[in-house]
């Protein structure tokens, strides 16, 4: 017979962190680690009290959709969803060829071909009202999820590629440099102490809200379309402040 696995402190921590992360996939997926631990006959792992991770769970419905879509993608089956967009309370029925799932900005998203729009679309799982798997099949797409996501900023994948150039004030520079916000990001420190950062992203919608969080310490250099949009929206926002 096999002896019980003797996990190191690092291995136990890695297992506990994995279990905590899997909560974002739904309760059933999170419980899979418990099942693995039981089969391995080891005691349940837990994150030490001195490590705090604020990972929020997801609604049960999203977890169910996640599993159903995963199965449909694996079997190349088309799905039908009733979907409510963020900017409208109207529901629409969509037949979708599901291509891949991705987790971004605290939400799960589905990327697939929408037969209603006759194009690729991104759907937030928490905006799906109902879902059913159809007895219809689709051919595997000739697209790469890595390439698709490489041009996105946040969860926005659609839009023509555009170069975004920003300049940040010296006092905010350490916050920008502390992480790589996008894989295309290039930083250049200027003589006046400012930081010039360049991105290549699909459209301006995804990066726009990220830029706004750094106001008033950011200057939009390009593109002109983004300059004008930001000016209009900031002026409108100032009018809303009483």
């Amino acid at each position: 017979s096999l002896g019980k696995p003797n996990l190191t402190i690092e291995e136990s921590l890695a297992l506990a962190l994995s279990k905590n992360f899997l909560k974002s996939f739904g309760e059933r997926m999170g419980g899979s680690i418990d099942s693995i631990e039981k089969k391995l006959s080891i005691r349940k792992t837990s994150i030490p009290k001195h490590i705090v991770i604020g990972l929020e769970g997801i609604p049960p419905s999203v977890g169910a959709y996640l599993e159903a879509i995963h199965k449909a993608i694996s079997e190349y089956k088309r799905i039908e969803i009733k979907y409510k967009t963020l900017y409208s309370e109207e529901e629409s029925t969509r037949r979708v060829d599901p291509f891949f799932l991705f987790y971004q900005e605290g939400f799960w998203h589905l990327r697939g071909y929408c037969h209603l729009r006759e194009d690729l679309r991104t759907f937030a799982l928490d905006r799906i009202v109902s879902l059913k798997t159809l007895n219809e099949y689709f051919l595997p797409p000739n697209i790469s999820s890595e390439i698709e996501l490489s041009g996105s900023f946040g969860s926005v994948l659609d839009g023509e590629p555009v170069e975004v150039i920003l300049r940040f004030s010296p006092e905010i520079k350490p916050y920008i440099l502390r992480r790589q916000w996008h894989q295309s990001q290039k930083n250049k420190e200027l003589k006046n102490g400012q930081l010039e950062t360049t991105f290549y992203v699909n459209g301006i919608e995804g990066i726009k809200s990220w830029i706004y969080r750094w106001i008033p310490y950011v200057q939009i250099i390009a593109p002109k379309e983004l300059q004008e949009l930001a000016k209009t929206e900031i002026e409108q926002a100032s009018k809303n402040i009483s």
Side-chain angles (χ1 to χ4, degrees), residues 9-222:
I9 293 176
E10 291 80 6
E11 290 170 340
S12 297
L13 178 59
L15 191 60
L17 290 171
S18 300
K19 188 191 324 187
N20 190 74
F21 173 74
L22 283 175
K23 291 178 182 178
S24 65
F25 287 74
E27 291 185 6
R28 287 182 58 183
M29 188 65 72
S32 63
I33 296 293
D34 291 331
S35 177
I36 291 173
E37 289 174 335
K38 185 176 181 181
K39 290 178 180 178
L40 292 174
S41 297
I42 60 176
R43 63 182 179 83
K44 288 188 176 182
T45 57
S46 59
I47 298 178
K49 292 182 179 180
H50 56 266
I51 298 179
V52 181
I53 298 178
L55 185 64
E56 297 180 1
I58 61 174
S61 60
V62 173
Y65 295 151
L66 189 64
E67 292 184 31
I69 295 171
H70 165 67
K71 189 172 187 295
I73 293 173
S74 301
E75 298 175 350
Y76 304 113
K77 279 191 173 182
R78 188 165 294 138
I79 62 174
E80 183 177 280
I81 61 174
K82 286 187 178 179
Y83 192 73
K84 186 183 294 186
T85 60
L86 281 169
Y87 54 83
S88 172
E89 289 302 311
E90 294 183 4
E91 295 180 9
S92 60
T93 300
R94 314 283 188 102
R95 288 169 62 248
V96 179
D97 297 349
F99 293 163
F100 63 87
L101 291 154
F102 65 98
Y103 187 77
Q104 194 70 269
E105 299 177 330
F107 296 95
W108 278 101
H109 300 83
L110 163 67
R111 184 70 167 168
Y113 181 82
C114 176
H115 289 264
L116 178 65
R117 303 304 182 198
E118 298 183 338
D119 202 357
L120 289 172
R121 286 292 186 271
T122 302
F123 302 95
L125 266 61
D126 61 297
R127 302 299 293 177
I128 295 177
V129 178
S130 65
L131 180 151
K132 65 178 179 180
T133 303
L134 304 176
N135 194 27
E136 301 175 12
Y137 294 85
F138 63 90
L139 292 175
N142 187 24
I143 64 171
S144 166
S145 58
E146 289 80 9
I147 294 176
E148 281 272 297
L149 293 171
S150 66
S152 71
F153 200 103
S155 60
V156 180
L157 277 69
D158 300 313
E160 294 297 319
V162 60
E163 181 184 49
V164 177
I165 303 176
L166 309 170
R167 286 181 184 168
F168 296 93
S169 301
E171 55 263 48
I172 207 70
K173 186 166 57 176
Y175 294 92
I176 304 302
L177 292 174
R178 71 184 303 194
R179 61 168 288 190
Q180 186 78 9
W181 299 93
H182 190 265
Q183 67 179 43
S184 69
Q185 178 179 339
K186 292 183 179 180
N187 302 312
K188 178 183 178 182
E189 297 199 41
L190 305 179
K191 292 182 179 179
N192 61 2
Q194 288 185 320
L195 178 71
E196 184 173 281
T197 304
T198 303
F199 300 94
Y200 289 92
V201 296
N202 291 343
I204 60 176
E205 281 301 315
I207 196 171
K208 183 182 68 172
S209 58
W210 180 82
I211 294 172
Y212 288 177
R213 70 187 288 186
W214 304 112
I215 292 174
Y217 304 103
V218 60
Q219 179 184 0
I220 301 172
I221 305 301

